[in-house]
Amino acid sequence: MAFDPLPEHHFTFGLWTVGNIGRDPFGNPTRQPLAPEYIVHKLSELGAYGVNLHDNDLVPIDATASERDAIVSSFKKALVESGMKVPMATTNLFSDAAFKDGAFTNANAQIRAYAIQKAMNSMDLGAELGAETYVFWGGREGAEVDAGGNALDAIAHMREAFNFLASYSQEQGYNYRFALEPKPNEPRGDIYLPVVGAALGFIATLEQPHLFGVNPEFAHETMAGLNFVHAIAQAIDAGKLFHIDLNDQKMGRFDQDLRFGAENIKSAFLLVKLLEDTGYAGMKHFDAHALRTEDEAGVWDFARGCMRTYLMLKEKAAQFNADAEIQAIIAAYKVKDESLSSLSKSYSTSNAAALKAHSFDRAALGARGPGLERLDQLTVDLLLGMR
Ligand code: DIG
Ligand code: MN
Ligand code: MN
């Protein structure tokens, strides 16, 4: 079976992903930079749907207005030639020294104002390119020193910035939905809103929470020692999975942004199954990059691998759902009791009395085996191609 990606699969890559030149904190670049237009055409040839960008992935921070317009015009030409879309845009609020101690959350009001200005200009660029999702990843929104008392102020500063930018988007007629991307640390010692749950709780405090969702990243929740599938389930339950950053990660490491499925194949399978079973209609964005060891050919192997693995796991999920033995075990695992479960569906004095009066055979409940070992083994068999 061929697992060839097509635009209808909605696979996207950031310009910074396949454009990663292999620099790391301990080493110089190992690859040459790739022009945005070249990236657009190459990704289109591989079957991707779109490309995402930070403002400065395309337009240098010190570009003049005329230079900006020329750069955007050339990029738009590549999009038209290739048919590639720009579903998501975001702002680089983490590279420039001005943001070294935060952007929206900076203790310096002048830097906070500059960050909002930069975000508005970047939102203008994204809207010009057709982006409908706007991601906020607070790479520098954090601290190494909390003695300055910024932890509480930072939340209020972020709320002010997001409320302001949501209103700017509406006044401009942009139909952005905003996606907050949590990360626990790196580059800051600790980053505010570190995980999906924290971001969901924060969104509820905004003026227009319906405009805000999350952009969870596999590597980031994994860095925090959390179960990414559980985080996605909560985001879906809340109607807040606006976007997703797919990649892979070894637990307890710096942000590796590995090729999707490169490390945790069972987690990747369960994630793809959850996304497919729930009809996730958003973009499947691979926020990852080729290993520093690779040359340009390795970069495109990386990009092909991300999409191929997603499609293979999608096929495995279909097999899992069609596997009679597996489905029988799951049916037995989810014990139904309509008379009992109806009592707690909605409260009433009589339901409470009936539930309090019911006698349970606690020993029998504790003795019953749920069959999870067998189910997990059949999942491994399936993933290893033995079913
Ligand atoms: C890092 O995981 C962040 C940045 O690359 C970008 O702002 C965001 C969008 O995918 N992810
Ligand atoms: Mn990452
Ligand atoms: Mn990301």
Side-chain angles (χ1 to χ4, degrees):
M1 179 176 212
F3 297 100
D4 297 328
L6 298 169
E8 68 202 52
H9 295 131
H10 285 175
F11 293 132
T12 62
F13 291 83
L15 284 177
W16 69 91
T17 66
V18 290
N20 179 290
I21 57 176
R23 180 187 293 116
D24 70 23
F26 304 100
N28 300 323
T30 56
R31 294 187 286 266
Q32 292 300 315
L34 301 176
E37 294 83 350
Y38 175 71
I39 288 174
V40 166
H41 284 293
K42 283 293 288 185
L43 287 174
S44 176
E45 288 164 19
L46 294 182
Y49 170 77
V51 66
N52 305 316
L53 71 158
H54 302 83
D55 47 351
N56 301 138
D57 294 334
L58 184 66
V59 181
I61 197 167
D62 53 4
T64 64
S66 59
E67 286 166 344
R68 175 231 186 257
D69 292 346
I71 289 167
V72 172
S73 170
S74 171
F75 186 66
K76 278 180 175 177
K77 183 167 173 293
L79 294 173
V80 169
E81 289 163 351
S82 63
M84 286 275 278
K85 304 297 181 193
V86 178
M88 181 270 276
T90 183
T91 321
N92 186 324
L93 293 174
F94 47 85
S95 295
D96 192 85
F99 303 124
K100 60 190 176 184
D101 191 28
F104 297 140
T105 66
N106 201 295
N108 180 331
Q110 296 162 350
I111 294 172
R112 294 200 299 272
Y114 171 48
I116 292 173
Q117 178 196 80
K118 192 170 192 286
M120 285 192 282
N121 289 329
S122 180
M123 287 164 62
D124 296 344
L125 172 61
E128 187 177 341
L129 297 171
E132 296 188 352
T133 300
Y134 204 83
V135 162
F136 289 118
W137 170 62
R140 297 288 177 191
E141 313 293 17
E144 292 77 38
V145 174
D146 287 326
N150 200 37
L152 188 58
D153 296 345
I155 305 296
H157 293 328
M158 265 192 289
R159 178 161 46 247
E160 181 179 305
F162 293 153
N163 287 340
F164 187 91
L165 292 169
S167 296
Y168 176 72
S169 171
Q170 289 178 311
E171 184 180 67
Q172 296 301 312
Y174 304 153
N175 54 349
Y176 277 130
R177 292 202 313 170
F178 298 94
L180 306 188
E181 179 175 344
K183 187 177 182 182
N185 62 74
E186 191 202 24
R188 298 307 301 265
D190 293 291
I191 294 180
Y192 303 126
L193 305 186
V195 292
V196 166
L200 291 174
F202 172 73
I203 286 170
T205 72
L206 296 174
E207 282 172 356
Q208 302 189 80
H210 64 286
L211 292 178
F212 288 82
V214 289
N215 175 42
E217 178 175 310
F218 187 101
H220 300 174
E221 296 299 298
T222 303
M223 283 169 71
L226 298 176
N227 182 318
F228 189 66
V229 173
H230 294 185
I232 296 303
Q234 185 178 5
I236 290 171
D237 175 73
K240 293 293 186 182
L241 187 63
F242 284 12
H243 197 264
I244 191 167
D245 276 3
L246 299 171
N247 54 20
D248 212 337
Q249 175 73 28
K250 277 190 173 185
M251 201 169 283
R253 303 305 198 279
F254 60 90
D255 189 7
Q256 295 175 299
D257 290 340
L258 298 173
R259 183 183 79 256
F260 181 63
E263 188 64 36
N264 304 285
I265 200 66
K266 188 163 75 170
S267 301
F269 162 71
L270 293 168
L271 171 64
V272 170
K273 178 170 157 38
L274 179 61
L275 293 176
E276 295 299 321
D277 287 353
T278 56
Y280 169 70
M283 296 297 121
K284 303 172 190 87
H285 175 227
F286 297 107
D287 187 9
H289 55 74
L291 298 169
R292 182 170 182 265
T293 54
E294 302 306 289
D295 59 6
E296 182 184 339
V299 167
W300 306 119
D301 289 336
F302 149 79
R304 282 189 200 92
C306 286
M307 297 186 282
R308 176 178 170 79
T309 298
Y310 188 100
L311 291 174
M312 289 191 289
L313 293 176
K314 180 180 176 182
E315 170 58 26
K316 287 293 181 184
Q319 288 176 15
F320 183 96
N321 291 343
D323 188 304
E325 185 178 3
I326 287 176
Q327 293 308 314
I329 292 172
I330 293 172
Y333 170 54
K334 295 182 175 181
V335 174
K336 295 186 185 331
D337 184 320
E338 288 310 324
S339 65
L340 264 182
S341 54
S342 65
L343 293 178
S344 56
K345 280 213 176 1
S346 64
Y347 185 82
S348 70
T349 308
S350 59
N351 283 354
L355 208 42
K356 290 188 84 170
H358 188 87
S359 62
F360 292 94
D361 182 345
R362 179 168 46 80
L365 291 175
R368 180 183 171 279
L372 293 175
E373 278 290 353
R374 177 72 179 144
L375 174 60
D376 195 51
Q377 183 58 48
L378 291 181
T379 305
V380 170
D381 280 26
L382 182 130
L383 290 175
L384 293 178
M386 301 305 174
R387 284 187 75 77

